[in-house]
Amino acid sequence: MTPTDHDAATLHAWTAVGGRPELVGRVSYAGAGDVLPAKLPVRQLARATVGACSLAAAELVAARGGTGTPGERAAAQRIPEVRVAEGAVATAFHSERHLRIDGRAPTAFAPLSGFWRTSDNWVRTHANYPHHRARLLRALGIPDDGSRDDRALAGVLAAELATREAAEVQETVYAGGGLAVALAPAPAAAPDELVPLVETREAAERGSRRLPARAPVAAPADGVRVLDLTRVLAGPVAGRTLALLGADVLRVDAPQLPEDADTYADTGMGKRSTLLDLGAAGDREVFEELLATADVVLSAYRPGALDRHGLAPEALLDRHPGLVVAQLSAWGWTGPWAGRRGFDSLVQAGTGIAAIEATGAAAASGRPGALPAQALDHGTGYLVAAGVLRGLTERQETGRGRRMRYSLAGTAAWLMHGVRREAPSEGAYDARRWMTACESPYGKLDHALPPVGYPGGPDGWARPVGLWGADAPAWR
């Protein structure tokens, strides 16, 4: 492909995060064959989200260099052309599968997570975290006294679910705080109104915080301070990407919600991690001190979950109008499911993607399928990072922060109804080309290289992953 080639998906992703349409021609792709094969156009979605993020990084580099207004600096320096390697994209979208920790492959899904046959349909459960596992079993009345391992409990769970209807399982487990979603049929046609891919609202007032102009700029997000209030997987991918691009990303978790070590080993590259209980006065004071000089807040808790702490986006922008606030949810921001918990696999089941992707003998038996990667999570993560970078570029000129809202359901709707399939690019794919290794507190990590980049940009993280929760609650 020539440096000016681009596709409709890249244009849509770029303009969705507020990019100027005339710049999208600066993105091109190096093919790797038919990577991420699926019935739905996963390859097109994946490369478009990474392409938009790479272009946003290049734009911010230009906006921060030299003198004059951001617009004049960008025009004078010319935003560099960006070439994205589809092999790197495919590997990064499988980053959690390619990860090796001292040669060990992490377990992708726990034994009680997956599709189960019910009396009338299928249901998808998610029980990777201990508290979700416990709530699932408790809601279904399955005793867990420790005498049976999860392999044995899986048989009990299968037998129990086979006696119930999928919708009843879904609502019973939800009422008990667990995670289960009934399989939705493949949509016959696009709905009249799609869930938005990105919703953006600019702050009403100007803030005082700007990024210093530097020539040359070491990295686009150099000096950017990011409070990362996210967990698996889209939000951590966004934070990991911003850390790659120079940001000081400080992940903040509650002490009572421990993280899976394997998951953090994959998504914590370049970040620091601290523990704060926002319900405790002392920890809340420390958090407010961090917030006072932050540039970005990433939030992936359920809609409204942080409002009681005064951290609703509107409240944040009222107090700190220069903040760039990016929120993520599973099911969107309106409707009866907006407040529900969710993960990529559950959204695939609940939107019809799993029904669409059923193939071969499984399809003949009615068993659902799945996308070749957790593409809703990864794709949304790169879109969030792209939107944050664009928000920082705009803030250089206007002084105003913004609130952005994303959802896995919005990305799912775009994949099903808004992305056009195109013929695979020429080329061959070897994931080993897009892997590297480093030492970490968890052991030797073989991990995916970052797919986001621009000429002269960083080709890896400045620091490996550290221990979850082990850093001081302070900026670098």
Side-chain angles (χ1 to χ4, degrees), residues 123-404:
V123 68
R124 177 91 195 200
T125 60
H126 196 290
N128 283 15
Y129 282 96
H131 57 292
H132 291 151
R133 173 190 176 278
R135 292 169 185 173
L136 172 70
L137 294 174
R138 186 166 57 246
L140 295 172
I142 298 174
D144 178 25
D145 59 7
S147 63
R148 295 172 292 190
D149 63 19
D150 277 7
R151 298 291 177 186
L153 281 171
V156 178
L157 177 63
E160 176 64 28
L161 293 177
T163 68
R164 301 190 184 213
E165 293 184 354
E168 184 263 330
V169 171
Q170 172 183 283
E171 297 307 313
T172 298
V173 173
Y174 167 65
L179 293 159
V181 173
L183 177 70
D192 293 335
E193 187 173 347
L194 295 180
V195 180
L197 187 58
V198 187
E199 299 175 72
T200 303
R201 177 179 297 173
E202 193 174 57
E205 304 294 331
R206 291 176 180 266
S208 59
R209 192 161 173 82
R210 301 285 199 288
L211 300 176
R214 295 174 181 171
V217 179
D222 182 40
V224 172
R225 293 173 169 179
V226 179
L227 284 173
D228 181 356
L229 312 179
T230 72
R231 296 171 71 85
V232 187
L233 181 62
V237 167
R240 181 178 71 185
T241 303
L242 295 171
L244 166 76
L245 298 171
D248 182 7
V249 179
L250 182 62
R251 177 163 156 174
V252 180
D253 286 279
Q256 63 270 27
L257 286 177
E259 177 61 286
D260 175 73
D262 289 354
T263 300
Y264 188 69
D266 175 49
T267 60
M269 298 298 294
K271 305 178 187 178
R272 295 180 302 116
S273 168
T274 195
L275 302 179
L276 292 173
D277 181 356
L278 297 184
D283 282 6
R284 179 55 190 272
E285 183 178 349
V286 171
F287 181 83
E288 288 294 334
E289 291 174 356
L290 292 168
L291 184 62
T293 56
D295 297 284
V296 177
V297 174
L298 304 179
S299 172
Y301 289 86
R302 285 178 299 145
L306 297 178
D307 291 8
R308 69 182 186 278
H309 298 296
L311 300 179
E314 295 79 7
L316 286 174
L317 289 177
D318 283 346
R319 288 186 287 148
H320 308 286
L323 271 179
V324 175
V325 182
Q327 288 181 286
L328 299 92
S329 74
W331 301 102
W333 299 92
T334 59
W337 280 51
R340 296 198 176 194
R341 299 176 180 87
F343 291 90
D344 185 305
S345 59
L346 299 180
V347 176
Q348 287 189 44
T351 58
I353 287 176
I356 293 172
E357 290 295 333
T359 58
S365 67
R367 185 175 182 84
L371 297 175
Q374 295 189 68
L376 306 182
D377 265 330
H378 285 275
T380 306
Y382 290 113
L383 281 175
V384 170
V388 167
L389 294 167
R390 286 240 66 260
L392 293 170
T393 296
E394 295 291 336
R395 191 187 69 173
Q396 290 294 91
E397 191 157 3
T398 68
R400 291 185 172 89
R402 62 185 56 199
R403 181 203 72 183
M404 297 170 289

Side-chain angles (χ1 to χ4, degrees), residues 373-446:
Q374 295 189 68
L376 306 182
D377 265 330
H378 285 275
T380 306
Y382 290 113
L383 281 175
V384 170
V388 167
L389 294 167
R390 286 240 66 260
L392 293 170
T393 296
E394 295 291 336
R395 191 187 69 173
Q396 290 294 91
E397 191 157 3
T398 68
R400 291 185 172 89
R402 62 185 56 199
R403 181 203 72 183
M404 297 170 289
R405 300 200 302 196
Y406 302 77
S407 70
L408 301 188
T411 303
W414 181 44
L415 175 63
M416 289 190 289
H417 307 296
V419 182
R420 185 177 70 238
R421 179 178 296 280
E422 297 183 0
S425 304
E426 294 181 0
Y429 174 56
D430 182 354
R432 292 172 298 180
R433 180 183 174 188
W434 306 106
M435 298 287 293
T436 190
C438 70
E439 295 295 333
S440 82
Y442 296 100
K444 180 188 175 185
L445 303 183
D446 294 284

